[in-house]
Amino acid sequence: MRMLVVGAGSTGGYFGARLAAAGRDVTFLVRQRRAEQLRKTGLQILSPSGDLTIAPKLLTAAEIDSPYDVVLLTVKAYGLESAIEDCARAVGDDTIILPVLNGMRHMDVLAARFAARNVAGCICKIASTLDDQGRIVELAHFHELAYGELDGSRSSRMESVDAFMQNAGFDARISPAIGREMWEKWIFLASLGAINCLMRGSIGEVARAPGGLAFSNAILDEVLSVVRKVGVAPSDKFCTFVRGQLTDTNSQLTSSMYRDLQQGYSIESEQIVGDMVERAQRAGIATPLLSAAYTNLSSYSARVSR
């Protein structure tokens, strides 16, 4: 099995490097500047699970000459359109696309550009970032990829993907409910991002502030009301877990969107919060707090783009 990892940033670089170090056939699709950096320094990971440096196999878009078995799509959501064009020649009739983007809008975009059969469900759980030297820094001791057919079946092609992923230095599993897990991840990210970014603080800082717990609970309730109407309803176990995560007065938890905002970077506000607000409006569901967060984030994004 041959895998093309689209992007060698903090997510794609991490999982791709672990797979390559375990002897799997992995190539990274990168822009010229990143390619030059990686050829000079190697792809480096600093991690509680063990540091790693590899000499990665690299391609730029113009160098793709045949389809791959699997395309692991790891770009930020606002880079999806350009990434699709870059990797289009790597997608054949039988190629499996595993997208680990946030939100759900990308699933429709990919199915429209290629074919529904090309797109499988996938989520990752990792806290990582790139430092100023281009090294991948894993911030916490969890790293998981889950994948599966969107109809819940256990296909032979997913069995092959699972065999490729196993024993590569991270947790990997086939999920029979990958669609629900993708919606659950979006619930968590939309709620976490809205809380952090609108209140400009970690979960614990917001929870300890006057009215903070009520605010965090209300944000989550709004998001849950939308997903239960327009998406796949989350499990009761997940709802209990995520409410505890978002109201922990001792938590230092922040979203990557909030960390990007603090650094003055572009953010995924449209895909994580905006798309949730848009779906709520189409379904006639009021989301005043989530809408306020989206307005705030849109104002920031417009300023950054200028």
Side-chain angles (χ1 to χ4, degrees):
M1 180 169 281
R2 299 167 65 236
M3 173 182 279
L4 181 69
V5 179
V6 182
S10 62
T11 300
Y14 182 87
F15 289 110
R18 292 289 185 199
L19 286 163
R24 315 298 149 79
D25 189 344
V26 175
T27 302
F28 296 88
L29 176 62
V30 293
R31 299 292 172 85
Q32 189 61 45
R33 182 177 178 181
R34 181 66 166 154
E36 291 171 0
Q37 181 184 49
L38 293 176
R39 289 189 178 107
K40 183 182 299 184
T41 66
L43 183 50
Q44 302 176 63
I45 295 174
L46 306 179
S47 167
S49 304
D51 295 348
L52 173 68
T53 299
I54 67 164
K57 292 168 59 177
L58 303 173
L59 278 177
T60 58
E63 297 171 316
I64 298 174
D65 59 7
S66 63
Y68 283 73
D69 300 304
V70 179
V71 171
L72 183 64
L73 190 58
T74 67
V75 297
K76 291 285 190 180
Y78 48 74
L80 176 61
E81 295 292 345
S82 61
I84 285 175
E85 295 310 311
D86 286 346
C87 73
R89 289 191 294 175
V91 179
D93 290 343
D94 297 322
T95 300
I96 305 166
I97 303 173
L98 298 178
V100 294
L101 287 77
N102 295 322
M104 293 295 291
R105 182 182 289 173
H106 62 279
M107 299 297 286
D108 296 333
V109 173
L110 289 167
R113 175 60 177 81
F114 300 108
R117 68 177 180 275
N118 287 123
V119 187
C122 188
I123 60 170
C124 73
K125 297 178 182 178
I126 188 169
S128 58
T129 189
L130 286 183
D131 67 11
D132 56 6
Q133 299 178 51
R135 300 176 301 182
I136 298 164
V137 182
E138 189 181 10
L139 302 174
H141 199 150
F142 59 88
H143 42 202
E144 180 185 61
L145 273 180
Y147 33 81
E149 301 289 2
L150 293 171
D151 64 2
S153 63
R154 193 174 178 103
S155 64
S156 59
R157 70 176 191 165
M158 278 299 126
E159 295 281 1
S160 297
V161 168
D162 190 50
F164 185 87
M165 297 288 192
Q166 292 300 319
N167 303 311
F170 58 85
D171 299 321
R173 61 184 174 86
I174 295 178
S175 169
I178 193 65
R180 189 196 72 210
E181 289 195 50
M182 292 169 71
W183 280 95
E184 287 178 344
K185 183 178 180 182
W186 191 14
I187 289 169
F188 180 68
L189 292 178
S191 302
L192 176 63
I195 292 167
N196 291 152
C197 294
L198 190 56
M199 291 298 160
R200 296 295 196 270
S202 69
I203 286 299
E205 289 169 337
V206 175
R208 293 191 298 271
L213 284 175
F215 169 80
S216 296
N217 276 306
I219 283 280
L220 176 59
D221 288 339
E222 286 186 4
V223 174
L224 288 172
S225 70
V226 177
V227 173
R228 285 170 175 151
K229 182 72 175 291
V230 306
V232 180
S235 67
D236 291 341
K237 181 180 179 180
F238 169 81
C239 291
T240 299
F241 168 78
V242 74
R243 195 174 296 277
Q245 289 281 297
L246 297 176
T247 57
D248 183 353
T249 56
N250 295 315
S251 175
Q252 299 180 27
L253 181 64
T254 58
S255 68
S256 60
M257 185 165 64
Y258 177 57
R259 295 192 295 271
D260 287 343
L261 183 149
Q262 288 181 303
Q263 297 295 319
Y265 298 155
S266 297
I267 58 174
E268 296 179 303
S269 56
E270 288 289 337
Q271 296 77 14
I272 295 177
V273 178
D275 192 29
M276 188 72 73
V277 170
E278 185 178 314
R279 291 174 194 245
Q281 291 172 342
R282 291 201 299 263
I285 301 171
T287 56
L289 295 177
L290 197 65
S291 297
Y294 179 49
T295 300
N296 179 286
L297 293 168
S298 297
S299 174
Y300 166 83
S301 292
R303 186 167 63 253
V304 168
S305 68
R306 288 196 297 270

